[in-house]
Amino acid sequence: EEQLRERYGLPILARIPRERKGVDPESSGIRKSVPVPLGPSSLSPRTLEAYRGLRAMLSAAAGPGQGEGEADSPGRAILVTGPSPVDGKTTTAINLASSYALAGKRVILIEADFRRPKISAALKVTPRQGIGDVVVGEASLDDALVWVKPFGDTLRVLPVQRPDDQVSELLSIPTARRLLDSARELADYVVVDSPPLTEVIDTLPLAHCVQDLLLVCRIG
């Protein structure tokens, strides 16, 4: 933690315990296996409480009147990323969005990791359309959003329907801004799961269009 503070001047907003994770069978073999993202039903009470603490710290860091989406103002967009695929960024995005939803906020969770989409499986949703369809103009955002049943009418997901490297090429800063502005009009909070920083540059257009950027780092 001290290295993060000294080298980058970043505040530590939360410390999330490690959980036992399943391994994605598609990633086995020569390549290093990648843990499967975990939804709230798979986490211990201690870890769920840590995500509630993260939610509170983000709201506090936003300042008075900025952390809670007002009825007549756009919601707040939070980008979640990390250095590598195994730092826990997707698990953090899912559970931060879930924590806001459980607090009664309207939340949209956007999956922007086009190469390793895992959110649909983690939340057990079956998308008919996805973020790619919205980006290329073949579907509206409202039509492509999927309700997550355990959360009633508070959490919707814009997933990646299938892995597609080409969609990321279309996600320029203007396109990302239009997408996020539209999502912010529909929700109090928009949480974006982006690709890992050290592998691709897909995070850059999204980072220009959000109010908060959350970096997930694994100790060690």
Side-chain angles (χ1 to χ4, degrees):
E1 291 185 18
E2 290 305 318
Q3 291 177 352
L4 291 174
R5 291 194 182 95
E6 292 174 4
R7 296 186 182 189
Y8 306 111
L10 295 174
I12 307 299
L13 297 182
R15 297 165 181 83
I16 309 298
R18 289 189 184 181
E19 294 269 356
R20 293 186 177 184
K21 298 180 177 65
V23 175
D24 184 356
E26 295 180 2
S27 67
S28 60
I30 298 176
R31 295 181 300 169
K32 184 178 179 180
S33 60
V34 178
V36 174
L38 299 178
S41 62
S42 302
L43 300 181
S44 66
R46 179 169 173 247
T47 300
L48 290 172
E49 185 62 31
Y51 282 117
R52 284 193 286 269
L54 173 60
R55 181 191 76 202
M57 289 297 291
L58 280 169
S59 296
Q66 300 298 314
E68 305 293 337
E70 301 292 339
D72 58 350
S73 64
R76 193 165 190 86
I78 304 167
L79 178 67
V80 183
T81 188
S84 74
V86 296
D87 286 294
K89 65 176 185 62
T90 302
T91 293
T92 296
I94 290 171
N95 288 283
L96 178 61
S98 301
S99 184
Y100 277 122
L102 289 170
K105 303 302 178 183
R106 299 172 302 152
V107 185
I108 292 176
L109 173 60
I110 296 178
E111 183 171 38
D113 191 343
F114 300 101
R115 294 163 174 81
R116 293 189 185 90
K118 303 293 182 186
I119 286 179
S120 293
L123 291 177
K124 298 179 175 59
V125 298
T126 305
R128 295 189 302 273
Q129 296 169 309
I131 185 174
D133 300 302
V134 177
V135 169
V136 300
E138 294 181 355
S140 69
L141 173 61
D142 207 25
D143 288 341
L145 290 170
V146 181
W147 294 103
V148 183
K149 290 182 179 179
F151 298 91
D153 59 355
T154 56
L155 179 59
R156 289 187 285 178
V157 179
L158 179 62
V160 173
Q161 191 175 19
R162 66 188 67 85
D164 190 347
D165 294 354
Q166 299 303 314
V167 176
S168 62
E169 299 292 336
L170 304 175
L171 201 65
S172 62
I173 291 177
T175 303
R177 191 176 303 280
R178 285 194 296 270
L179 174 64
L180 289 173
D181 285 350
S182 297
R184 291 173 63 208
E185 291 292 338
L186 299 174
D188 300 317
Y189 290 92
V190 178
V191 179
V192 185
D193 176 41
S194 85
L197 292 168
T198 57
E199 294 193 356
V200 292
I201 63 168
D202 299 356
T203 302
L204 186 59
L206 295 162
H208 282 273
C209 309
V210 297
Q211 285 67 56
D212 297 295
L213 196 153
L214 186 64
L215 183 65
V216 183
C217 297
R218 185 175 59 164
I219 297 299

